Structures are given as structure tokens and as C-alpha cells.
Amino acid sequence: MLLKSKKFIKRTGAVMMAVIVAAYGLTGGKMTVEAAEAADVDIASYEHLDELYGDYFKFGAACEAIDHWNDPGKEIGNPAKEELLSTVFNSITCGNEMKPAYNFDAESESLFKIDPAATEMLDWAKAHDMGMRGHTLLWHSQVDPSIFAKDYVALSNGKQTKTDSAELDEECLVDRDELLRRMKTYIYSMMEYTYKEGYAKTIYAWDVVNEAADENQDDGFRRSYWYKIIGPDFLYYAFLYAREAETLYAAQYADLYGLNAKTDDLSPIMPKLFYNDYNEWFDNKSDAIINFLAKEKWNENHAKVKSDVINPDGDGTIYGDGLLDGIGMQGHLNDTQNIDQYMKALQKYSAVVDEVHITELDVGCSKTDDNVWLFQAKFYYDFFSRLIEEVKAGAKLTSVTVWGLTDDASWRRDANPLLFTGKLERKPAFEAVVMAAKGEEFTMTLQDTLGEVEDMLITFEPYAEGNKAVSVEPKDVGILGRGTGHQAKLRLAQKINHTPDAAIGFSLKVSRAEQDASMKLDVSRYAGKNVTITVYVMTEDKKIRMGLETDASVQLLEVDAVPEDWTELSINYTIPEDVPAAYIYLETDGAADFYVDDISVVIGEDGAAAAEETESVAAGDNDASSTNDADGAESGNAAGEAGDHANGAASSGDEDGTSDSTGGIAAVVVALTAGGAWYAKKKSQNKKEGE
């Protein structure tokens, strides 16, 4: 439940109001409310980004087939979205369809069975003369764990599992030689399929290995089961097998493409081989990546393995032996990102390999008020203007792919990171990318819409909308995932609760696999104001930190966590007024899940006293500190399972009967944007799998 403090009028058991605000679009600084029906857009009139950037790089988008998830929000199978893709771009990447999880078949000698949705997308790309980036051959995530197990039966704590993140029992694991055999079989099988079915000219690049780096490890490697069983040289073998496979099948199937294997250049049907990762613009990670791709001599003097595809003059490194063509930089950014840092990494990789691709670009919005699209558009403009400059200066960038087509289908949909709305309308971000390509000046104007704001308390208790109790969606109260790579899942957890007298009892669960993943609260509306911010956190980790994220991150507070209980964090702070966006973030000293409840923001130096005056309207007499050993029933739709970036978006739904039970809960709304506008928004979304 959301409460307006100090002057809040207590009305128990009655519905006060419900204001539903549609997702908004902004053009030239003006707010508009989307109509219920799809917008009537003239896609044929849209600028062609592939042509505008044709002198610099391919311009692509990630997409998915409706048939893969039976999800009508996807692109291939939707005529309007297909038209948008073919009009604006000249390259696509399968968001999920070509990943190992959906094409590995333990019952086949080839260990391979193509996902029909992947075939559908390949056929579509071929028919529309669209290039495709193959994503991905080898990954620690979205992989059937049976590939690592004896008799293809993966066990975790003695029980069979198909979960890619499960910790597997040591005794069920195969040995190094067997896993190398399986790796080679799968890579060869996938590659042969693309050749014999006529897709070798369609696929122009493969992400051979995805996200193998962990800069926090001494040797720079993620401790995946590929690593644990084979060792760090699994990376060398993966690229070796991919190069062998394409060399073999390019010759074997050359005649299908009108080529003579003995006399013709076969490079048009030999995709470039890439290593792909995230956060790779940070120095420590880029150093690790460059080291294991271009400096570490996995096959020194070619004593370990010999192959006709290995450069005889090679130095034993993956790149030096001719097994690697390029590096993929994912690029999941926000509109306060340091562009210089990213461009320095682009230059760094360009000095090492033949090509660099930006493989998964999206730019999350930092603001939640009327200026939301303008900051994003300016970032896109600056980013693409710099890309053009870097290519002219010698950067080896040859392809850029935005990770998705429309905001509503993005894995980061809470951050609205893409170029088009769900109704296929061009966003200011799209126009900004066009301006950058044409060398035009950025002319959009900033609309200062921040007006009077008031105190806020977020308890995560359901609120009434009509005759139903509606779950709070984190994004609608300004709570987003934090992290530059694998972000946390944010969902409501029932029975883990701090709120005094909660009628039901909810908190926010922050599920994460890495310390970098956490949560943040947008406090941009309090720019220039002194506020007291109080929050309660429960975690198994030892330390809890609160900080401020603007264009940089500053830790404000660190406290010892109270074991098995709620820990209060409270700080009085003046939010800077000269920054584009401001967030209060929470993180811990480990990577354990944590729970958050009763977040209050109270204006003024006497905020602590004012917070005590906040009135609750929730009926019931639950114990304020009631907890459970287990999560209890969780309410919410996960915003993506283990996709490339695991789960950045957060959403909540109605489970455990809360959607049909008002139970004396009063509807409450809170000032979420400028100008005293009051919002409460219900928008259930359910994403089955991440990108």
C-alpha cells in the first residue's frame, strides 16, 4: 500500500479513488496518453537506419518468434512488427530461439534438434534479405544441464534437474574428454544444419561463447560447468570447433550457394566468430577478456592440439591462431552512462581483434517525470554521434544491434529502453538516432515539469481498484533493478513483512545471483530538497549499504545487518538539484537475496519526527515484525528468467487470492510525478524468459 504522510486522511474499508494512467509517449517535450487501440502509424515513412548508417555499420534488432513462447507480443509472426523490422533494419538476432537450451537434444546422436521457431526466424530473415547474428553456441545459462552429466541425467542433491542454475552433484558429472566430445558434437551439428538448409549467407556472425568472464576471479573466468569440468581452455576448444565446422561445411555445401569449393572464395558463407559479454567496458573486465582471447597461450607451440584451421604461424592464443574474428559488446546502458568509458573500451578492443559488434544495445530511462524521453533521446544522440566519430577515427565497429524492437516487449521494459513504443510509434530516441546519422543538431528541448512534491511511504500492501485488491508494481512507485549486467528480479513476497498492522503482509523480494544486482528508488522528484529516507531490510548477508546514484554512485551509509530480523537504515540527505536523475540504492556485501519494506521519504530536516506521524490505513492487526522461514506465497510475475542479462525488469501480479479480496483495504495513491498528479497503475505483465 502507498501512503501520503502527514496530511493523509484515514479512511479504512472504503475505496477513495483509482486513477489509471496509460503508458505515455513524448514528442517534442509534450506528454500524451496512448489510446486503447493501436496507433495508426505509417511504417513505410520511417527513416531506414540501415541505410543512414550504411557507411559505418550494419544496424539490427533482436526479436523473437510468436511461436517460441506462444506470445503474441513477439515480432516474427506479427505482420506490423515484421514490417517495422524489415523497413528500419538490415540485421536481426534471435532473442532466445538459437540458444543451446532450445536446440540441444540428449536423445540424438548429433545432440541437436532445431527449435522450429529458430527455423521460422531463419526463413524470415532469408526471405527479407536480412543478415542474422547467431546467438549463441556456448553459454553457462539457458543450457540443458544434462550435457554435463553422465547418461545425460543431471542431479542436484540426488534429484534430477533441468535447471541451468542448479548446483550439480559431483558424482553425476562427466569427465573432461567426454564434455569436449559433446561440445564438439553440438557445435558441429548446429553449424551443419545452417549450411545444409541454406542459411550460411544469412548468418554473418556467431557468438561462439557468451559471458565466460568474471573479473573477480584471479584468472578472469566465470566458474561455469564448462570451466569446472574442462578447465579454462574450454574457450580455445569452443572457437577451434566452430572454425573447424564452418571450414568443413563451407566446402562441403559450397555448391548450394553457387560456389566452387576448390576455386572460389568461401568467405561469404563463413560467418565471423565472436566472443560476447556484458559490462565489458569496465577496465578490469576488458583486461580479463583481452587476456584470455589474445594473450593467454592455450596451445603454445601447438603442442596441445593440431588442426588444419589453426594458423601455422599462430602464437597459441585464440586470436593469434586464427580462431576468433571479433568481440561483442552487449551495451545494456542507461541515459546517465559515461559514454567516454564505453568508447575507450571500443577503441581497446579495436586494437586487438578484426571486428567489434555492439550486440545488445538498449538505454534505460533515468527519469520518471515528463522529461523521461528527452534524457534518453539525448543519450542516444550523443552515443551514436560518438560511434560515427570512432568509426571515422579507425574503430573496427561493423555492426550495432538494439536488444529488442518495442518497449513493451523489452527484457528491461520498466526502463523503456528502446526506439519504439508498443504501438510501433517512433520515440524521440529514434528521431535522435536519425539526427545523429544526418549530422544534425540535437534540437529537442527540456521541459521542467517538477512541481511540489510530498512525502511518500511504500509498504507494498495491495490497494483497492474498483472491487479488487491490486498488487503494487515496483516500477510504478519508482523502484527499478540496479546493475549493469545480470540485474535482480523484483517481486512481492507475502508473509515476509515489516509493516505494522498489515492486513495481508507483503514486502519486496530482491532476488539476485551477483552482488552487482540490487535495487534502487527514483528520488529525482526530490531534487534540491532535504529529505529523511528510511527503509527496512532483511538479509542473510552481514552488511547493508545505502547510497545515491546520479551520474556517479556515492555510498551514504553502511550498517551491520540484524541476523534473521529487519534492519533499519535511515539518513537525512539533500538530493542534488543539478543532476538529470537521482536514485537511492540498496546493496549488501554479498549476493544473497534480500527483502525491503516500509520505504519512507519525508521532506525537511525534521523528517524523522514527521515519519512517525504517518498514518496507516491498512486494516488488521498483524504482528509488525512477522516473518517466515520460507518466502511464503510470492505475488508477482518474474520479469524474465535466465536470459542474457537474467532479469532486469520487475513486475507484480495477483496471486494467492489477493486480487479478489478487498479485506477492508482502502485504495491509496501517491504522488509519483510532478505537478501534484496522483497515479495508481495496474499493469500485469508476465515474461517467460529473459533475453
Side-chain angles (χ1 to χ4, degrees):
M1 184 170 290
L2 311 170
L3 307 183
K4 171 186 168 187
S5 66
K6 289 185 179 179
K7 299 179 181 179
F8 185 80
I9 301 175
K10 184 176 181 180
R11 294 191 181 182
T12 305
V15 175
M16 290 173 57
M17 67 174 67
V19 182
I20 304 174
V21 177
Y24 54 87
L26 178 63
T27 303
K30 181 180 180 181
M31 291 284 291
T32 60
V33 178
E34 291 184 339
E37 291 80 18
D40 183 15
V41 296
D42 180 14
I43 292 173
S45 68
Y46 287 6
E47 297 274 8
H48 298 201
L49 295 183
D50 58 339
E51 296 178 2
L52 290 175
Y53 285 88
D55 291 339
Y56 307 112
F57 41 75
K58 288 182 180 292
F59 209 127
C63 53
E64 296 181 71
I66 289 175
D67 289 345
H68 186 72
W69 303 120
N70 193 27
D71 183 349
K74 300 306 180 186
E75 294 79 23
I76 303 304
N78 181 316
K81 289 188 175 182
E82 288 181 357
E83 181 187 0
L84 181 57
L85 283 167
S86 61
T87 298
V88 174
F89 303 103
N90 61 359
S91 169
I92 64 170
T93 301
C94 294
N96 278 291
E97 290 80 354
M98 295 189 76
K99 292 174 181 174
Y102 314 112
N103 297 281
F104 173 76
D105 183 6
E107 297 181 359
S108 169
E109 288 187 8
S110 67
L111 300 182
F112 173 80
K113 182 179 180 180
I114 192 69
D115 182 344
T119 299
E120 180 183 359
M121 294 187 70
L122 284 161
D123 286 341
W124 185 87
K126 183 178 179 181
H128 290 81
D129 196 26
M130 299 277 280
M132 178 185 283
R133 299 193 77 261
H135 180 74
T136 174
L137 293 174
L138 209 69
W139 194 21
H140 69 277
S141 183
Q142 283 183 273
V143 59
D144 187 335
S146 68
I147 196 172
F148 305 117
K150 298 173 183 175
D151 300 320
Y152 300 101
V153 179
L155 300 175
S156 180
N157 294 322
K159 297 181 179 180
Q160 188 169 354
T161 182
K162 290 288 186 180
T163 303
D164 58 3
S165 59
E167 183 175 349
L168 304 181
D169 297 343
E170 187 73 24
E171 58 270 20
C172 85
L173 300 178
V174 297
D175 60 23
R176 168 187 164 92
D177 290 342
E178 175 61 16
L179 188 54
L180 281 171
R181 184 193 70 79
R182 294 180 183 184
M183 177 200 293
K184 180 176 182 179
T185 299
Y186 178 79
I187 290 175
Y188 269 59
S189 298
M190 171 63 94
M191 289 285 229
E192 183 177 18
Y193 171 83
T194 63
Y195 276 92
K196 71 180 181 181
E197 298 299 328
Y199 304 123
K201 283 187 176 179
T202 300
I203 299 175
Y204 66 92
W206 270 105
D207 289 331
V208 177
V209 179
N210 194 46
E211 299 178 2
D214 181 351
E215 66 274 28
N216 296 314
Q217 300 289 344
D218 290 341
D219 60 359
F221 276 95
R222 179 188 295 274
R223 294 318 194 240
S224 68
Y225 280 101
W226 299 109
Y227 177 97
K228 291 177 181 178
I229 296 173
I230 297 173
D233 59 345
F234 85 88
L235 199 67
Y236 185 93
Y237 283 98
F239 280 94
L240 172 65
Y241 297 152
R243 185 69 87 201
E244 286 180 339
E246 69 170 2
T247 302
L248 171 65
Y249 297 128
Q252 184 175 332
Y253 294 99
D255 58 336
L256 282 180
Y257 304 92
L259 298 173
N260 186 308
K262 294 182 179 179
T263 60
D264 291 338
D265 175 15
L266 300 184
S267 61
I269 57 171
M270 295 185 68
K272 300 296 179 68
L273 304 183
F274 278 73
Y275 174 80
N276 190 51
D277 216 320
Y278 68 97
N279 282 8
E280 63 279 71
W281 52 88
F282 295 120
D283 284 341
N284 52 356
K285 193 157 190 174
S286 61
D287 288 344
I289 290 170
I290 289 173
N291 180 66
F292 61 56
L293 293 178
K295 294 183 179 180
E296 187 72 31
K297 297 185 178 181
W298 305 110
N299 193 21
E300 190 167 10
N301 299 320
H302 301 160
K304 181 182 289 187
V305 60
K306 299 184 184 300
S307 173
D308 290 342
V309 303
I310 294 175
N311 179 1
D313 297 323
D315 57 5
T317 67
I318 296 172
Y319 177 73
D321 279 359
L323 308 179
L324 170 77
D325 297 303
I327 293 174
M329 302 177 66
Q330 289 186 10
H332 296 293
L333 311 174
N334 59 62
D335 58 19
T336 61
Q337 192 82 30
N338 185 318
I339 292 178
D340 285 340
Q341 185 181 38
Y342 195 96
M343 297 302 157
K344 288 178 181 177
L346 172 61
Q347 297 164 5
K348 191 173 180 179
Y349 293 130
S350 294
V352 175
V353 295
D354 298 334
E355 296 188 32
V356 180
H357 288 181
I358 296 175
T359 57
E360 305 177 22
L361 178 66
D362 50 26
V363 180
C365 294
S366 63
K367 299 284 279 184
T368 57
D369 65 9
D370 291 13
N371 298 324
V372 59
W373 302 134
L374 291 172
F375 285 98
Q376 181 188 53
K378 183 61 165 62
F379 183 92
Y380 267 110
Y381 175 85
D382 291 342
F383 188 82
F384 276 90
S385 295
R386 283 293 303 276
L387 290 182
I388 290 172
E389 291 177 11
E390 295 298 336
V391 171
K392 289 180 176 179
K396 298 175 183 177
L397 181 67
T398 58
S399 176
V400 174
T401 299
V402 288
W403 197 251
L405 185 66
T406 58
D407 283 342
D408 64 313
S410 167
W411 76 289
R412 298 175 68 196
R413 58 181 169 267
D414 288 345
N416 297 310
L418 297 173
L419 303 179
F420 301 96
T421 71
K423 296 179 180 178
L424 311 189
E425 297 163 315
R426 294 168 292 186
K427 290 170 57 180
F430 176 87
E431 305 297 350
V433 174
V434 170
M435 289 180 191
K438 294 180 176 180
E440 297 174 352
E441 182 182 355
F442 185 82
T443 56
M444 298 179 192
T445 59
L446 180 64
Q447 300 296 312
D448 185 3
T449 58
L450 290 177
E452 289 300 316
V453 294
E454 297 182 342
D455 305 336
M456 178 169 65
L457 173 64
I458 306 171
T459 71
F460 302 104
E461 296 305 301
Y463 61 92
E465 184 177 287
N467 294 321
K468 291 185 177 182
V470 178
S471 298
V472 173
E473 290 201 29
K475 67 173 183 176
D476 291 338
V477 293
I479 294 175
L480 302 173
R482 181 175 184 260
T484 54
H486 291 77
Q487 297 182 16
K489 284 191 291 189
L490 307 180
R491 53 170 58 170
L492 301 186
Q494 189 176 340
K495 300 181 182 178
I496 306 292
N497 174 54
H498 175 271
T499 308
D501 299 324
I504 299 177
F506 284 95
S507 62
L508 179 71
K509 182 179 181 181
V510 182
S511 300
R512 64 222 184 104
E514 300 182 12
Q515 186 176 3
D516 181 56
S518 58
M519 62 146 286
K520 59 186 180 182
L521 170 70
D522 189 350
V523 292
S524 303
R525 65 184 64 91
Y526 298 102
K529 296 186 180 297
N530 179 271
V531 294
T532 295
I533 302 165
T534 304
V535 61
Y536 293 86
V537 178
M538 180 184 292
T539 180
E540 294 177 359
D541 290 331
K542 297 183 183 300
K543 301 282 187 182
I544 308 170
R545 304 183 184 105
M546 177 188 288
L548 181 74
E549 179 182 288
T550 54
D551 50 357
S553 295
V554 179
Q555 182 176 310
L556 303 177
L557 182 66
E558 180 179 85
V559 301
D560 294 327
V562 179
E564 300 182 0
D565 205 347
W566 292 96
T567 303
E568 179 183 357
L569 292 86
S570 186
I571 190 166
N572 182 266
Y573 192 78
T574 299
I575 306 298
E577 61 181 348
D578 58 348
V579 295
Y583 293 89
I584 290 293
Y585 68 82
L586 296 172
E587 63 183 17
T588 69
D589 63 343
D593 295 349
F594 63 86
Y595 297 85
V596 179
D597 207 356
D598 295 338
I599 303 173
S600 65
V601 182
V602 180
I603 302 170
E605 295 182 356
D606 61 342
E612 296 175 0
E613 299 172 5
T614 301
E615 295 187 74
S616 171
V617 299
D621 54 1
N622 291 10
D623 183 351
S625 61
S626 64
T627 62
N628 242 355
D629 291 336
D631 289 355
E634 291 185 352
S635 172
N637 297 320
E641 297 298 318
D644 275 3
H645 322 284
N647 325 317
S651 60
S652 62
D654 306 318
E655 296 181 4
D656 311 311
T658 58
S659 63
D660 298 317
S661 171
T662 55
I665 302 171
V668 184
V669 290
V670 66
L672 293 181
T673 67
W678 297 88
Y679 294 91
K681 179 161 56 172
K682 162 85 169 81
K683 188 178 181 182
S684 294
Q685 295 169 312
N686 186 11
K687 185 164 175 59
K688 305 175 185 67
E689 199 89 23
E691 277 68 35

